[in-house]
Amino acid sequence: MDNDESFQVVVGLDGSDGSRAALGWAVSEARLRGGTVRAVTAWQPPAVTAGMEGLIWDPASFEAAAKNEQTRVLKRVPAEDVPIGKLLVQGSPAAALLDASRDADLLVVGSRGLGGFSGLLLGSVSTHLIHHAVCPVLVVRPGEDPQRRDPQKLRPIS
């Protein structure tokens, strides 16, 4: 990711089916454009609510779990020809992705992450990013295969 001239794709990874699909699209897009991918995984310890004051949270365990999940997902995507940088951030996923995508050409996320309500079409993070990102945002639903795209129908992102 040393070449500032190459097409940069930032992708959010949280281990969900949507984020794995987003990674596939990000790698495919970077490959088509001779670019790079930056995989961003955000983590934060759960909030303490009434009745949980006695519990002791070990932040290092949450960070390690996020790092392990990121590594596991990245090993499963065929991307030998695409440079992938990894970023692990403590904080909210939306804030981490907005910050990481500040200089990106494209931000790719899954339509829904691991939390929230399963009936929603879009999760809170993808909705937030659509409204606040300074670069184009691609929201990918699980099951969308980037390899099945017709190259004749692709248009440049403007």
Side-chain angles (χ1 to χ4, degrees):
M1 302 216 309
D2 298 321
N3 183 358
D4 291 337
E5 299 298 318
S6 70
F7 192 86
Q8 292 189 351
V9 182
V10 169
V11 61
L13 291 181
D14 68 358
S16 66
D17 291 343
S19 77
R20 288 191 295 273
L23 177 60
W25 275 86
V27 168
S28 177
E29 194 67 28
R31 182 177 290 122
L32 286 171
R33 298 175 183 275
T36 61
V37 172
R38 176 182 279 176
V40 178
T41 302
W43 65 275
Q44 59 191 83
V48 176
T49 60
M52 296 175 66
E53 297 89 355
L55 296 175
I56 298 174
W57 301 106
D58 178 15
S61 66
F62 293 102
E63 181 179 15
K67 184 176 184 177
N68 289 340
E69 182 62 23
Q70 183 186 63
T71 300
R72 186 182 68 78
V73 171
L74 288 172
K75 282 182 180 178
R76 296 178 65 188
V77 66
E80 298 79 22
D81 57 334
V82 176
I84 299 179
K86 297 186 281 186
L87 181 61
L88 195 63
V89 179
Q90 180 179 359
S92 86
L97 288 164
L98 285 175
D99 187 50
S101 67
R102 200 172 287 144
D103 297 322
D105 296 293
L106 179 65
L107 173 58
V108 185
V109 293
S111 59
R112 298 200 23 77
L114 293 173
F117 302 97
S118 61
L120 298 175
L121 294 176
L122 286 179
S124 60
V125 173
S126 55
T127 299
H128 185 84
L129 296 172
I130 288 168
H131 293 288
H132 298 286
V134 296
C135 66
V137 178
L138 173 63
V139 179
V140 180
R141 293 184 358 205
E144 293 183 4
D145 184 0
Q147 304 304 319
R148 303 182 106 194
R149 292 190 287 179
D150 180 354
Q152 301 301 320
K153 294 180 181 178
L154 294 178
R155 292 176 290 160
I157 296 174
S158 53

